[in-house]
Amino acid sequence: DQQVKQNSPSLSVQEGRISILNCDYTNSMFDYFLWYKKYPAEGPTFLISISSIKDKNEDGRFTVFLNKSAKHLSLHIVPSQPGDSAVYFCAASARGQNFVFGPGTRLSVLP
Amino acid sequence: KAGVTQTPRYLIKTRGQQVTLSCSPISGHRSVSWYQQTPGQGLQFLFEYFSETQRNKGNFPGRFSGRQFSNSRSEMNVSTLELGDSALYLCASSLIPGAYNEQFFGPGTRLTVL
């Protein structure tokens, strides 16, 4: 049973528009969340994180929102750029345990 | 600062063989984790090493093993390969173990089992 789910395997967005990537989790003990971006033939790179004591974290064009009651988080990219085309992984962790990753969402930003 | 390096980058083996993959962490990083990535499954945690000791292990059969050397370099071994072992194997390093440390990933080793 997957503890971290990304129900959209792929997403296409026009350049300049907002991209919203979603992630759901089942383990209420998770208290720290990360988003990673992965280009082909490269390892994942850290994008942004959020702790369960916050409901929003912003870094430039990237904002992560956390809804603890719904066990849901989302990554917003505004404005989307063609260079954002990649696979995005959501990951969650409970203190002292290793990260559990979702299956990823492939984002395509169309020029 | 050099990133995480993994060798080889690509590997083709046949069923029943065994394989060893290598990972060199970022200089100064002492924690190394291994992940298996397959389509639709995302990254599955294999194990984590710190100071030459296995700190955590994921839910993989005993055919998957690893070790870490005194210079923090790590190897993972898969014995009696099966077709389902075909995957991208990623190594990640961090300064110290623990859920709150960001991990830096290598490019991975693409293993194909025929």
Side-chain angles (χ1 to χ4, degrees):
Chain A
D1 182 36
Q2 277 191 334
Q3 296 187 71
V4 178
K5 302 174 186 179
Q6 294 176 258
N7 292 321
S8 297
S10 62
L11 175 69
S12 292
V13 172
Q14 283 297 128
E15 181 179 4
R17 298 289 190 102
I18 183 172
S19 294
I20 300 176
L21 295 100
N22 294 305
C23 177
D24 296 288
Y25 61 96
T26 57
N27 188 343
S28 58
M29 298 301 290
F30 287 149
D31 58 4
Y32 195 65
F33 305 87
L34 304 177
W35 283 94
Y36 281 90
K37 178 169 74 173
K38 184 180 185 302
Y39 293 118
E42 295 182 14
T45 55
F46 169 76
L47 198 56
I48 193 169
S49 65
I50 189 166
S51 161
S52 60
I53 62 173
K54 302 176 81 172
D55 54 17
K56 177 183 173 181
N57 188 26
E58 210 169 335
D59 183 2
R61 297 186 297 113
F62 302 91
T63 302
V64 56
F65 295 91
L66 176 61
N67 182 333
K68 288 185 290 293
S69 60
K71 295 192 183 70
H72 176 83
L73 66 157
S74 60
L75 174 68
H76 293 211
I77 306 174
V78 184
S80 301
Q81 299 173 353
D84 296 329
S85 297
V87 177
Y88 289 79
F89 293 98
C90 165
S93 170
R95 180 177 284 277
Q97 298 180 15
N98 289 89
F99 283 102
V100 179
F101 285 77
T105 295
R106 182 177 301 279
L107 173 65
S108 299
V109 180
L110 310 172
Chain B
K1 197 182 223 183
V4 178
T5 57
Q6 292 186 246
T7 57
R9 292 293 309 276
Y10 301 92
L11 207 49
I12 299 176
K13 292 283 188 179
T14 56
R15 277 183 301 174
Q17 287 187 306
Q18 68 98 25
V19 67
T20 300
L21 312 180
S22 180
C23 171
S24 292
I26 291 173
S27 177
H29 284 193
R30 295 169 61 198
S31 176
V32 173
S33 296
W34 288 89
Y35 295 85
Q36 180 195 65
Q37 185 191 355
T38 53
Q41 291 294 314
L43 278 69
Q44 305 287 316
F45 171 72
L46 279 155
F47 24 65
E48 178 189 26
Y49 286 89
F50 176 70
S51 295
E52 302 177 65
T53 301
Q54 187 178 87
R55 187 173 173 270
N56 271 317
K57 190 177 191 307
N59 189 25
F60 277 82
R63 301 185 296 108
F64 292 81
S65 62
R67 59 178 175 168
Q68 186 181 34
F69 301 95
S70 58
N71 61 359
S72 296
R73 190 177 70 86
S74 177
E75 288 181 348
M76 68 162 279
N77 184 277
V78 188
S79 62
T80 320
L81 284 166
E82 300 176 359
L83 294 178
D85 297 334
S86 294
L88 180 68
Y89 290 88
L90 291 161
C91 163
S93 76
S94 57
L95 279 168
I96 57 175
Y100 298 142
N101 288 284
E102 296 161 11
Q103 299 178 104
F104 294 85
F105 283 84
T109 294
R110 172 76 61 187
L111 172 65
T112 301
V113 182
L114 302 176

